Amino acid sequence: MDQVLGQVLRNAVWERLDMLTDLANRADAQSLVSVARSELPRLTEAWRAMLKMHEPDERGDCPTCSTRWHRCKAPCSVWQVAHEHLVAGGLAPQQQSATDSRLQGRRKSPISAHPAPTAAETTGRHALVNPRRAVTA
């Protein structure tokens, strides 16, 4: 059941990001100002919360990315992506980053060895559950 809930939550986030992207690309100026006033504070707080979880500990390791057997030195990939999109991305906005390419490729085609789900196996723009994977309760 946790896998189903996790997938539902991930799909809701992807749908929200898709909606915001569509608004940014298609909305008129007045609508964009309204959306920016309501959404930018929410997005910046989300970034802050996520980055706070990835702040390096006293040894310089990311506590979230590190495991018992493998320590992940800061800056971890979350901080690298944040810098790329929030700081460096402003320098060259027309270039698509390598991270963007990987993420878009992941969303458009499955990474796993499983074949893509059929239309009957999906709901909305994003699949709720991959029925080929066993779901354990």
Side-chain angles (χ1 to χ4, degrees):
M1 188 53 95
D2 288 340
Q3 287 178 328
V4 173
L5 178 59
Q7 188 64 46
V8 168
L9 294 175
R10 285 188 299 277
N11 288 339
V13 171
W14 284 124
E15 290 290 335
R16 182 68 172 200
L17 292 172
D18 290 344
M19 184 268 305
L20 291 172
T21 299
D22 288 344
L23 277 171
N25 290 329
R26 298 181 188 166
D28 59 88
Q30 187 176 6
S31 298
L32 282 174
V33 169
S34 176
V35 169
R37 284 191 177 132
S38 65
E39 295 299 323
L40 280 175
R42 292 175 61 176
L43 291 171
T44 56
E45 281 305 308
W47 270 106
R48 284 185 179 104
M50 183 171 42
L51 292 172
K52 189 173 185 177
M53 293 182 342
H54 292 268
E55 278 290 324
D57 61 17
E58 62 279 349
R59 294 179 302 215
D61 297 331
C62 173
T64 305
C65 295
S66 295
T67 67
R68 173 189 249 175
W69 299 277
H70 174 72
R71 306 309 300 169
C72 179
K73 284 292 184 195
C76 68
S77 61
V78 172
W79 274 98
Q80 292 171 15
V81 168
H83 182 269
E84 181 179 335
H85 289 277
L86 298 173
V87 180
L91 301 176
Q94 65 273 20
Q95 290 181 334
Q96 183 179 17
S97 70
T99 303
D100 282 347
S101 299
R102 286 193 307 273
L103 290 176
Q104 286 178 357
R106 182 184 77 209
R107 289 186 59 211
K108 290 180 182 173
S109 63
I111 290 177
S112 68
H114 297 289
T118 65
E121 296 169 333
T122 60
T123 301
R125 289 174 68 179
H126 304 281
L128 289 176
V129 181
N130 186 343
R132 293 183 182 95
R133 292 186 182 156
V135 176
T136 55

